[in-house]
Amino acid sequence: MANYFSIFLVLLTVGSGLIWLIDSLMFAPKRRQRMAVASGAGVATTTLEQDAQLPWLVDTAQQIFPVIAFVMVLRSFLYEPFQIPSGSMMPTLLVGDFILVEKFTYGLKDPVMRKKFVDIGEPERGDVVVFKFPPEPQLDYIKRVVGLPGDTVIYRNKQLQIKPACDSTENCPPLQKVELKFETRGEAYQQFAPLEKYTEQLGDVSHQIYRTQGRASSSRYYSQPGTQADEWIVPEGHYFVLGDNRDNSEDGRYWGFVPEENLVGKAVAIWISFEFDRVPSSWVPSWIPTGVRFERVGGIQ
């Protein structure tokens, strides 16, 4: 759906711009010439005003083109708003958060074919990214980058371990557990079970995650040939992502890797956050916000 809207926006911008351009080059000079001749011949003012009026299509194109062009450039190359629909990134992002995604961080792409034409940067470990869901590219997903191209990633007994990519066998860093610090238990619940909050140090990024008690099952994990059930080696040009709500996230553990061309951008800020009634009543539908969480407005760790 998002890609369809991008195509519609591009077509509307190009179409309105062409109508304005063609009229300016071909028809507007003829109108001015007719007005000059008619004015010299003493034609009535009313007739001159009628001849000077722009056709409806041209007038509409001139009015909407600057606005549509600005929206297209802003949305395609600079920033795009997204709404968080699920709790897979709790506690970093909550349902009802509206975020801004920086589109140019990982390079400029054309809005239709999504081919990169200017290379600016690459995702870093710990970035929160929006991407096209590989099994269903029409869907936008948001997760945290934990594995870069060439990395070995293990998620075993709810403990993340990473071995960074290395070009040679000498002086290569060993497989290391990602540092975790226990914070609280029970500030949030999932299926009536209390969630445990930890602070996780992922590269230079310190952020918080949720876990539940109990053993983690790897039976549904994505199986990569040549590795164990809970181990993945990130291919070149791909990234491995996880949700911060580790036991309630359909992420790379279950479907694999995110190709570089699927990246949409980096989540950089929460611009507004709405609270919704968790138990909708007959007179307050679930889609109507019941409050604004001003304390959440700002940056994303």
Side-chain angles (χ1 to χ4, degrees):
M1 183 63 70
N3 193 45
Y4 292 153
F5 181 74
S6 297
I7 294 174
F8 170 76
L9 202 59
V10 170
L11 291 177
L12 187 61
T13 303
V14 173
S16 59
L18 284 175
I19 291 172
W20 191 356
L21 179 63
I22 292 172
D23 179 77
S24 299
L25 296 178
M26 298 179 61
F27 300 107
K30 294 180 180 179
R31 286 197 301 271
R32 289 193 294 268
Q33 185 178 12
R34 289 197 305 268
M35 288 180 59
V37 172
S39 178
V43 177
T45 303
T46 303
T47 304
L48 289 174
E49 291 177 349
Q50 291 177 349
D51 192 51
Q53 288 183 349
L54 291 175
W56 173 84
L57 186 62
V58 176
D59 184 51
T60 302
Q62 289 186 5
Q63 292 186 47
I64 70 171
F65 174 75
V67 177
I68 297 298
F70 174 77
V71 172
M72 188 198 72
V73 171
L74 179 67
R75 185 181 183 276
S76 300
F77 306 118
L78 300 177
Y79 294 94
E80 183 177 356
F82 285 86
Q83 179 184 0
I84 302 301
S86 73
S88 68
M89 282 296 292
M90 292 171 55
T92 306
L93 297 171
L94 306 181
V95 175
D97 285 350
F98 287 76
I99 63 172
L100 279 180
V101 173
E102 200 170 71
K103 304 291 287 288
F104 57 86
T105 304
Y106 307 135
L108 298 181
K109 299 180 181 180
D110 74 83
V112 178
M113 301 303 295
R114 299 193 50 77
K115 298 296 183 182
K116 185 187 292 187
F117 59 89
V118 176
D119 192 5
I120 296 177
E122 302 294 338
E124 298 180 359
R125 202 185 318 281
D127 284 0
V128 177
V129 299
V130 171
F131 56 92
K132 298 296 180 182
F133 183 41
E136 299 179 64
Q138 72 275 16
L139 300 179
D140 293 316
Y141 266 37
I142 182 167
K143 305 293 178 188
R144 189 179 298 275
V145 174
V146 300
L148 305 179
D151 286 356
T152 298
V153 179
I154 294 177
Y155 190 74
R156 185 171 297 157
N157 298 325
K158 300 190 178 183
Q159 172 67 59
L160 183 61
Q161 304 175 63
I162 299 174
K163 180 180 180 181
C166 189
D167 295 331
S168 65
T169 57
E170 297 181 1
N171 301 320
C172 283
L175 184 70
Q176 294 182 344
K177 290 184 178 181
V178 174
E179 182 181 344
L180 285 176
K181 178 185 177 183
F182 177 78
E183 298 289 350
T184 61
R185 178 177 182 269
E187 72 172 21
Y189 284 75
Q190 180 176 298
Q191 297 179 347
F192 306 104
L195 295 176
E196 298 177 338
K197 179 192 284 186
Y198 291 83
T199 295
E200 183 177 75
Q201 188 67 38
L202 195 58
D204 296 330
V205 178
S206 177
H207 64 101
Q208 294 178 329
I209 67 169
Y210 276 153
R211 294 189 339 190
T212 58
Q213 291 183 318
R215 296 176 59 86
S217 173
S218 60
S219 60
R220 292 180 51 239
Y221 283 177
Y222 169 73
S223 179
Q224 185 182 29
T227 64
Q228 300 183 49
D230 51 8
E231 177 184 352
W232 304 271
I233 300 176
V234 186
E236 288 300 318
H238 292 71
Y239 298 88
F240 189 77
V241 297
L242 293 177
D244 288 349
N245 191 355
R246 293 291 160 81
D247 295 307
N248 186 30
S249 176
E250 191 75 13
D251 49 39
R253 292 170 293 179
Y254 303 97
W255 42 259
F257 310 99
V258 179
E260 187 275 336
E261 58 267 22
N262 283 40
L263 294 174
V264 174
K266 178 181 178 180
V268 294
I270 299 171
W271 61 273
I272 194 66
S273 180
F274 291 111
E275 178 71 57
F276 293 90
D277 195 344
R278 296 176 182 174
V279 184
S281 62
S282 58
W283 55 278
V284 181
S286 60
W287 51 269
I288 295 181
T290 57
V292 180
R293 298 177 293 219
F294 291 103
E295 71 278 2
R296 293 193 55 76
V297 175
I300 299 175
Q301 289 185 324

PDB file of all heavy atoms in Angstrom, residues 70-101:
ATOM      1  N   PHE A  70       6.425  19.387  -3.102  1.00  0.00           N
ATOM      2  CA  PHE A  70       7.068  19.503  -1.789  1.00  0.00           C
ATOM      3  C   PHE A  70       6.829  18.249  -0.956  1.00  0.00           C
ATOM      4  O   PHE A  70       7.763  17.720  -0.329  1.00  0.00           O
ATOM      5  CB  PHE A  70       6.534  20.728  -1.054  1.00  0.00           C
ATOM      6  CG  PHE A  70       7.020  20.851   0.362  1.00  0.00           C
ATOM      7  CD1 PHE A  70       8.301  21.305   0.635  1.00  0.00           C
ATOM      8  CD2 PHE A  70       6.203  20.496   1.429  1.00  0.00           C
ATOM      9  CE1 PHE A  70       8.757  21.408   1.933  1.00  0.00           C
ATOM     10  CE2 PHE A  70       6.653  20.591   2.734  1.00  0.00           C
ATOM     11  CZ  PHE A  70       7.929  21.053   2.988  1.00  0.00           C
ATOM     12  N   VAL A  71       5.594  17.760  -0.936  1.00  0.00           N
ATOM     13  CA  VAL A  71       5.269  16.550  -0.171  1.00  0.00           C
ATOM     14  C   VAL A  71       6.052  15.356  -0.709  1.00  0.00           C
ATOM     15  O   VAL A  71       6.573  14.537   0.059  1.00  0.00           O
ATOM     16  CB  VAL A  71       3.760  16.273  -0.215  1.00  0.00           C
ATOM     17  CG1 VAL A  71       3.444  14.922   0.403  1.00  0.00           C
ATOM     18  CG2 VAL A  71       3.003  17.365   0.528  1.00  0.00           C
ATOM     19  N   MET A  72       6.153  15.225  -2.035  1.00  0.00           N
ATOM     20  CA  MET A  72       6.862  14.093  -2.619  1.00  0.00           C
ATOM     21  C   MET A  72       8.344  14.108  -2.248  1.00  0.00           C
ATOM     22  O   MET A  72       8.919  13.083  -1.865  1.00  0.00           O
ATOM     23  CB  MET A  72       6.711  14.101  -4.138  1.00  0.00           C
ATOM     24  CG  MET A  72       7.267  12.846  -4.802  1.00  0.00           C
ATOM     25  SD  MET A  72       7.568  13.015  -6.573  1.00  0.00           S
ATOM     26  CE  MET A  72       8.995  14.092  -6.597  1.00  0.00           C
ATOM     27  N   VAL A  73       8.975  15.284  -2.351  1.00  0.00           N
ATOM     28  CA  VAL A  73      10.398  15.379  -2.007  1.00  0.00           C
ATOM     29  C   VAL A  73      10.607  15.092  -0.530  1.00  0.00           C
ATOM     30  O   VAL A  73      11.514  14.345  -0.141  1.00  0.00           O
ATOM     31  CB  VAL A  73      10.945  16.778  -2.377  1.00  0.00           C
ATOM     32  CG1 VAL A  73      12.349  16.967  -1.824  1.00  0.00           C
ATOM     33  CG2 VAL A  73      10.947  16.953  -3.886  1.00  0.00           C
ATOM     34  N   LEU A  74       9.755  15.684   0.329  1.00  0.00           N
ATOM     35  CA  LEU A  74       9.880  15.475   1.767  1.00  0.00           C
ATOM     36  C   LEU A  74       9.707  14.000   2.124  1.00  0.00           C
ATOM     37  O   LEU A  74      10.517  13.428   2.860  1.00  0.00           O
ATOM     38  CB  LEU A  74       8.834  16.320   2.496  1.00  0.00           C
ATOM     39  CG  LEU A  74       8.796  16.198   4.025  1.00  0.00           C
ATOM     40  CD1 LEU A  74      10.066  16.764   4.629  1.00  0.00           C
ATOM     41  CD2 LEU A  74       7.575  16.911   4.591  1.00  0.00           C
ATOM     42  N   ARG A  75       8.663  13.379   1.588  1.00  0.00           N
ATOM     43  CA  ARG A  75       8.339  11.993   1.943  1.00  0.00           C
ATOM     44  C   ARG A  75       9.296  10.990   1.306  1.00  0.00           C
ATOM     45  O   ARG A  75       9.600   9.955   1.891  1.00  0.00           O
ATOM     46  CB  ARG A  75       6.903  11.688   1.513  1.00  0.00           C
ATOM     47  CG  ARG A  75       6.391  10.326   1.926  1.00  0.00           C
ATOM     48  CD  ARG A  75       4.973  10.135   1.418  1.00  0.00           C
ATOM     49  NE  ARG A  75       4.440   8.853   1.858  1.00  0.00           N
ATOM     50  CZ  ARG A  75       4.652   7.707   1.239  1.00  0.00           C
ATOM     51  NH1 ARG A  75       5.405   7.673   0.165  1.00  0.00           N
ATOM     52  NH2 ARG A  75       4.118   6.591   1.696  1.00  0.00           N
ATOM     53  N   SER A  76       9.782  11.276   0.121  1.00  0.00           N
ATOM     54  CA  SER A  76      10.615  10.314  -0.603  1.00  0.00           C
ATOM     55  C   SER A  76      12.078  10.371  -0.215  1.00  0.00           C
ATOM     56  O   SER A  76      12.761   9.347  -0.223  1.00  0.00           O
ATOM     57  CB  SER A  76      10.483  10.544  -2.117  1.00  0.00           C
ATOM     58  OG  SER A  76       9.149  10.394  -2.545  1.00  0.00           O
ATOM     59  N   PHE A  77      12.573  11.555   0.136  1.00  0.00           N
ATOM     60  CA  PHE A  77      14.011  11.709   0.323  1.00  0.00           C
ATOM     61  C   PHE A  77      14.419  12.230   1.707  1.00  0.00           C
ATOM     62  O   PHE A  77      15.588  12.122   2.068  1.00  0.00           O
ATOM     63  CB  PHE A  77      14.577  12.653  -0.744  1.00  0.00           C
ATOM     64  CG  PHE A  77      14.249  12.246  -2.140  1.00  0.00           C
ATOM     65  CD1 PHE A  77      13.485  13.060  -2.964  1.00  0.00           C
ATOM     66  CD2 PHE A  77      14.677  11.025  -2.634  1.00  0.00           C
ATOM     67  CE1 PHE A  77      13.173  12.675  -4.255  1.00  0.00           C
ATOM     68  CE2 PHE A  77      14.373  10.637  -3.934  1.00  0.00           C
ATOM     69  CZ  PHE A  77      13.615  11.456  -4.744  1.00  0.00           C
ATOM     70  N   LEU A  78      13.499  12.785   2.476  1.00  0.00           N
ATOM     71  CA  LEU A  78      13.885  13.389   3.749  1.00  0.00           C
ATOM     72  C   LEU A  78      13.276  12.653   4.933  1.00  0.00           C
ATOM     73  O   LEU A  78      13.959  11.881   5.599  1.00  0.00           O
ATOM     74  CB  LEU A  78      13.491  14.877   3.752  1.00  0.00           C
ATOM     75  CG  LEU A  78      14.142  15.730   2.662  1.00  0.00           C
ATOM     76  CD1 LEU A  78      13.628  17.155   2.727  1.00  0.00           C
ATOM     77  CD2 LEU A  78      15.650  15.693   2.766  1.00  0.00           C
ATOM     78  N   TYR A  79      12.001  12.867   5.205  1.00  0.00           N
ATOM     79  CA  TYR A  79      11.359  12.254   6.375  1.00  0.00           C
ATOM     80  C   TYR A  79       9.975  11.743   6.007  1.00  0.00           C
ATOM     81  O   TYR A  79       9.284  12.341   5.186  1.00  0.00           O
ATOM     82  CB  TYR A  79      11.229  13.271   7.516  1.00  0.00           C
ATOM     83  CG  TYR A  79      12.549  13.726   8.079  1.00  0.00           C
ATOM     84  CD1 TYR A  79      13.161  14.881   7.612  1.00  0.00           C
ATOM     85  CD2 TYR A  79      13.203  12.988   9.069  1.00  0.00           C
ATOM     86  CE1 TYR A  79      14.382  15.301   8.113  1.00  0.00           C
ATOM     87  CE2 TYR A  79      14.424  13.395   9.576  1.00  0.00           C
ATOM     88  CZ  TYR A  79      15.010  14.553   9.093  1.00  0.00           C
ATOM     89  OH  TYR A  79      16.215  14.955   9.590  1.00  0.00           O
ATOM     90  N   GLU A  80       9.598  10.639   6.657  1.00  0.00           N
ATOM     91  CA  GLU A  80       8.269  10.077   6.459  1.00  0.00           C
ATOM     92  C   GLU A  80       7.708   9.645   7.817  1.00  0.00           C
ATOM     93  O   GLU A  80       8.431   9.038   8.613  1.00  0.00           O
ATOM     94  CB  GLU A  80       8.318   8.874   5.517  1.00  0.00           C
ATOM     95  CG  GLU A  80       6.946   8.284   5.225  1.00  0.00           C
ATOM     96  CD  GLU A  80       6.994   7.142   4.226  1.00  0.00           C
ATOM     97  OE1 GLU A  80       8.089   6.846   3.700  1.00  0.00           O
ATOM     98  OE2 GLU A  80       5.931   6.541   3.972  1.00  0.00           O
ATOM     99  N   PRO A  81       6.455   9.966   8.103  1.00  0.00           N
ATOM    100  CA  PRO A  81       5.862   9.551   9.382  1.00  0.00           C
ATOM    101  C   PRO A  81       5.347   8.118   9.322  1.00  0.00           C
ATOM    102  O   PRO A  81       4.868   7.663   8.285  1.00  0.00           O
ATOM    103  CB  PRO A  81       4.715  10.540   9.574  1.00  0.00           C
ATOM    104  CG  PRO A  81       4.307  10.907   8.185  1.00  0.00           C
ATOM    105  CD  PRO A  81       5.561  10.856   7.343  1.00  0.00           C
ATOM    106  N   PHE A  82       5.456   7.410  10.434  1.00  0.00           N
ATOM    107  CA  PHE A  82       4.930   6.055  10.565  1.00  0.00           C
ATOM    108  C   PHE A  82       4.242   5.928  11.918  1.00  0.00           C
ATOM    109  O   PHE A  82       4.627   6.584  12.888  1.00  0.00           O
ATOM    110  CB  PHE A  82       6.039   5.009  10.467  1.00  0.00           C
ATOM    111  CG  PHE A  82       6.563   4.765   9.080  1.00  0.00           C
ATOM    112  CD1 PHE A  82       7.567   5.563   8.553  1.00  0.00           C
ATOM    113  CD2 PHE A  82       6.047   3.746   8.295  1.00  0.00           C
ATOM    114  CE1 PHE A  82       8.058   5.352   7.282  1.00  0.00           C
ATOM    115  CE2 PHE A  82       6.527   3.521   7.022  1.00  0.00           C
ATOM    116  CZ  PHE A  82       7.535   4.328   6.516  1.00  0.00           C
ATOM    117  N   GLN A  83       3.257   5.055  11.975  1.00  0.00           N
ATOM    118  CA  GLN A  83       2.575   4.755  13.238  1.00  0.00           C
ATOM    119  C   GLN A  83       2.985   3.370  13.711  1.00  0.00           C
ATOM    120  O   GLN A  83       3.093   2.437  12.906  1.00  0.00           O
ATOM    121  CB  GLN A  83       1.060   4.801  13.064  1.00  0.00           C
ATOM    122  CG  GLN A  83       0.294   4.463  14.345  1.00  0.00           C
ATOM    123  CD  GLN A  83      -1.208   4.423  14.133  1.00  0.00           C
ATOM    124  OE1 GLN A  83      -1.698   4.657  13.025  1.00  0.00           O
ATOM    125  NE2 GLN A  83      -1.948   4.122  15.194  1.00  0.00           N
ATOM    126  N   ILE A  84       3.227   3.225  15.011  1.00  0.00           N
ATOM    127  CA  ILE A  84       3.579   1.934  15.588  1.00  0.00           C
ATOM    128  C   ILE A  84       2.296   1.154  15.874  1.00  0.00           C
ATOM    129  O   ILE A  84       1.485   1.563  16.706  1.00  0.00           O
ATOM    130  CB  ILE A  84       4.404   2.117  16.885  1.00  0.00           C
ATOM    131  CG1 ILE A  84       5.664   2.927  16.592  1.00  0.00           C
ATOM    132  CG2 ILE A  84       4.764   0.761  17.479  1.00  0.00           C
ATOM    133  CD1 ILE A  84       6.585   2.323  15.546  1.00  0.00           C
ATOM    134  N   PRO A  85       2.081   0.012  15.190  1.00  0.00           N
ATOM    135  CA  PRO A  85       0.816  -0.705  15.337  1.00  0.00           C
ATOM    136  C   PRO A  85       0.846  -1.845  16.346  1.00  0.00           C
ATOM    137  O   PRO A  85      -0.203  -2.404  16.667  1.00  0.00           O
ATOM    138  CB  PRO A  85       0.588  -1.263  13.924  1.00  0.00           C
ATOM    139  CG  PRO A  85       1.983  -1.546  13.439  1.00  0.00           C
ATOM    140  CD  PRO A  85       2.891  -0.503  14.076  1.00  0.00           C
ATOM    141  N   SER A  86       2.042  -2.234  16.809  1.00  0.00           N
ATOM    142  CA  SER A  86       2.129  -3.406  17.689  1.00  0.00           C
ATOM    143  C   SER A  86       3.151  -3.154  18.793  1.00  0.00           C
ATOM    144  O   SER A  86       3.873  -2.157  18.781  1.00  0.00           O
ATOM    145  CB  SER A  86       2.539  -4.654  16.888  1.00  0.00           C
ATOM    146  OG  SER A  86       3.914  -4.587  16.523  1.00  0.00           O
ATOM    147  N   GLY A  87       3.219  -4.105  19.739  1.00  0.00           N
ATOM    148  CA  GLY A  87       4.126  -3.970  20.870  1.00  0.00           C
ATOM    149  C   GLY A  87       5.449  -4.680  20.701  1.00  0.00           C
ATOM    150  O   GLY A  87       6.153  -4.906  21.687  1.00  0.00           O
ATOM    151  N   SER A  88       5.843  -5.011  19.484  1.00  0.00           N
ATOM    152  CA  SER A  88       7.065  -5.784  19.273  1.00  0.00           C
ATOM    153  C   SER A  88       8.337  -5.014  19.606  1.00  0.00           C
ATOM    154  O   SER A  88       9.389  -5.620  19.786  1.00  0.00           O
ATOM    155  CB  SER A  88       7.137  -6.281  17.829  1.00  0.00           C
ATOM    156  OG  SER A  88       7.325  -5.195  16.934  1.00  0.00           O
ATOM    157  N   MET A  89       8.250  -3.664  19.687  1.00  0.00           N
ATOM    158  CA  MET A  89       9.434  -2.862  20.004  1.00  0.00           C
ATOM    159  C   MET A  89       9.352  -2.248  21.401  1.00  0.00           C
ATOM    160  O   MET A  89      10.107  -1.327  21.734  1.00  0.00           O
ATOM    161  CB  MET A  89       9.630  -1.770  18.952  1.00  0.00           C
ATOM    162  CG  MET A  89      10.242  -2.267  17.656  1.00  0.00           C
ATOM    163  SD  MET A  89      11.926  -2.888  17.868  1.00  0.00           S
ATOM    164  CE  MET A  89      12.802  -1.382  18.264  1.00  0.00           C
ATOM    165  N   MET A  90       8.423  -2.741  22.240  1.00  0.00           N
ATOM    166  CA  MET A  90       8.375  -2.276  23.632  1.00  0.00           C
ATOM    167  C   MET A  90       9.658  -2.684  24.354  1.00  0.00           C
ATOM    168  O   MET A  90      10.207  -3.736  24.066  1.00  0.00           O
ATOM    169  CB  MET A  90       7.173  -2.902  24.347  1.00  0.00           C
ATOM    170  CG  MET A  90       5.823  -2.419  23.860  1.00  0.00           C
ATOM    171  SD  MET A  90       4.467  -3.403  24.557  1.00  0.00           S
ATOM    172  CE  MET A  90       4.773  -3.254  26.327  1.00  0.00           C
ATOM    173  N   PRO A  91      10.143  -1.852  25.286  1.00  0.00           N
ATOM    174  CA  PRO A  91       9.584  -0.576  25.751  1.00  0.00           C
ATOM    175  C   PRO A  91      10.050   0.640  24.963  1.00  0.00           C
ATOM    176  O   PRO A  91       9.668   1.760  25.279  1.00  0.00           O
ATOM    177  CB  PRO A  91      10.095  -0.508  27.185  1.00  0.00           C
ATOM    178  CG  PRO A  91      11.436  -1.165  27.121  1.00  0.00           C
ATOM    179  CD  PRO A  91      11.290  -2.277  26.121  1.00  0.00           C
ATOM    180  N   THR A  92      10.870   0.448  23.931  1.00  0.00           N
ATOM    181  CA  THR A  92      11.370   1.582  23.149  1.00  0.00           C
ATOM    182  C   THR A  92      10.239   2.306  22.446  1.00  0.00           C
ATOM    183  O   THR A  92      10.164   3.538  22.463  1.00  0.00           O
ATOM    184  CB  THR A  92      12.406   1.098  22.120  1.00  0.00           C
ATOM    185  OG1 THR A  92      13.434   0.365  22.794  1.00  0.00           O
ATOM    186  CG2 THR A  92      13.029   2.268  21.382  1.00  0.00           C
ATOM    187  N   LEU A  93       9.351   1.537  21.815  1.00  0.00           N
ATOM    188  CA  LEU A  93       8.219   2.100  21.079  1.00  0.00           C
ATOM    189  C   LEU A  93       6.939   1.411  21.528  1.00  0.00           C
ATOM    190  O   LEU A  93       6.914   0.186  21.682  1.00  0.00           O
ATOM    191  CB  LEU A  93       8.415   1.922  19.572  1.00  0.00           C
ATOM    192  CG  LEU A  93       9.629   2.639  18.971  1.00  0.00           C
ATOM    193  CD1 LEU A  93       9.832   2.199  17.524  1.00  0.00           C
ATOM    194  CD2 LEU A  93       9.458   4.144  19.051  1.00  0.00           C
ATOM    195  N   LEU A  94       5.893   2.203  21.718  1.00  0.00           N
ATOM    196  CA  LEU A  94       4.619   1.681  22.181  1.00  0.00           C
ATOM    197  C   LEU A  94       3.561   1.828  21.094  1.00  0.00           C
ATOM    198  O   LEU A  94       3.696   2.669  20.184  1.00  0.00           O
ATOM    199  CB  LEU A  94       4.162   2.422  23.439  1.00  0.00           C
ATOM    200  CG  LEU A  94       5.130   2.483  24.622  1.00  0.00           C
ATOM    201  CD1 LEU A  94       4.488   3.243  25.778  1.00  0.00           C
ATOM    202  CD2 LEU A  94       5.555   1.080  25.061  1.00  0.00           C
ATOM    203  N   VAL A  95       2.511   1.023  21.199  1.00  0.00           N
ATOM    204  CA  VAL A  95       1.372   1.186  20.307  1.00  0.00           C
ATOM    205  C   VAL A  95       0.811   2.599  20.493  1.00  0.00           C
ATOM    206  O   VAL A  95       0.580   3.046  21.615  1.00  0.00           O
ATOM    207  CB  VAL A  95       0.282   0.145  20.621  1.00  0.00           C
ATOM    208  CG1 VAL A  95      -0.959   0.399  19.764  1.00  0.00           C
ATOM    209  CG2 VAL A  95       0.806  -1.261  20.379  1.00  0.00           C
ATOM    210  N   GLY A  96       0.624   3.308  19.394  1.00  0.00           N
ATOM    211  CA  GLY A  96       0.156   4.690  19.468  1.00  0.00           C
ATOM    212  C   GLY A  96       1.245   5.717  19.285  1.00  0.00           C
ATOM    213  O   GLY A  96       0.951   6.907  19.150  1.00  0.00           O
ATOM    214  N   ASP A  97       2.513   5.284  19.273  1.00  0.00           N
ATOM    215  CA  ASP A  97       3.607   6.199  18.961  1.00  0.00           C
ATOM    216  C   ASP A  97       3.598   6.517  17.472  1.00  0.00           C
ATOM    217  O   ASP A  97       3.425   5.622  16.632  1.00  0.00           O
ATOM    218  CB  ASP A  97       4.962   5.582  19.323  1.00  0.00           C
ATOM    219  CG  ASP A  97       5.221   5.569  20.820  1.00  0.00           C
ATOM    220  OD1 ASP A  97       4.458   6.204  21.567  1.00  0.00           O
ATOM    221  OD2 ASP A  97       6.190   4.901  21.234  1.00  0.00           O
ATOM    222  N   PHE A  98       3.807   7.775  17.145  1.00  0.00           N
ATOM    223  CA  PHE A  98       3.982   8.192  15.754  1.00  0.00           C
ATOM    224  C   PHE A  98       5.422   8.669  15.617  1.00  0.00           C
ATOM    225  O   PHE A  98       5.855   9.566  16.347  1.00  0.00           O
ATOM    226  CB  PHE A  98       3.004   9.308  15.383  1.00  0.00           C
ATOM    227  CG  PHE A  98       1.585   8.833  15.220  1.00  0.00           C
ATOM    228  CD1 PHE A  98       0.809   8.534  16.331  1.00  0.00           C
ATOM    229  CD2 PHE A  98       1.039   8.675  13.958  1.00  0.00           C
ATOM    230  CE1 PHE A  98      -0.503   8.096  16.184  1.00  0.00           C
ATOM    231  CE2 PHE A  98      -0.268   8.229  13.800  1.00  0.00           C
ATOM    232  CZ  PHE A  98      -1.038   7.939  14.913  1.00  0.00           C
ATOM    233  N   ILE A  99       6.153   8.058  14.703  1.00  0.00           N
ATOM    234  CA  ILE A  99       7.582   8.319  14.604  1.00  0.00           C
ATOM    235  C   ILE A  99       7.935   8.974  13.275  1.00  0.00           C
ATOM    236  O   ILE A  99       7.183   8.904  12.303  1.00  0.00           O
ATOM    237  CB  ILE A  99       8.393   7.012  14.753  1.00  0.00           C
ATOM    238  CG1 ILE A  99       8.077   6.051  13.609  1.00  0.00           C
ATOM    239  CG2 ILE A  99       8.118   6.358  16.094  1.00  0.00           C
ATOM    240  CD1 ILE A  99       8.963   4.832  13.560  1.00  0.00           C
ATOM    241  N   LEU A 100       9.089   9.627  13.259  1.00  0.00           N
ATOM    242  CA  LEU A 100       9.657  10.157  12.028  1.00  0.00           C
ATOM    243  C   LEU A 100      10.805   9.258  11.596  1.00  0.00           C
ATOM    244  O   LEU A 100      11.673   8.916  12.405  1.00  0.00           O
ATOM    245  CB  LEU A 100      10.167  11.578  12.233  1.00  0.00           C
ATOM    246  CG  LEU A 100       9.147  12.708  12.186  1.00  0.00           C
ATOM    247  CD1 LEU A 100       9.842  14.040  12.398  1.00  0.00           C
ATOM    248  CD2 LEU A 100       8.383  12.714  10.873  1.00  0.00           C
ATOM    249  N   VAL A 101      10.805   8.890  10.323  1.00  0.00           N
ATOM    250  CA  VAL A 101      11.856   8.046   9.764  1.00  0.00           C
ATOM    251  C   VAL A 101      12.684   8.872   8.795  1.00  0.00           C
ATOM    252  O   VAL A 101      12.152   9.493   7.870  1.00  0.00           O
ATOM    253  CB  VAL A 101      11.258   6.816   9.048  1.00  0.00           C
ATOM    254  CG1 VAL A 101      12.342   6.032   8.320  1.00  0.00           C
ATOM    255  CG2 VAL A 101      10.543   5.929  10.053  1.00  0.00           C
TER     256      VAL A 101
END
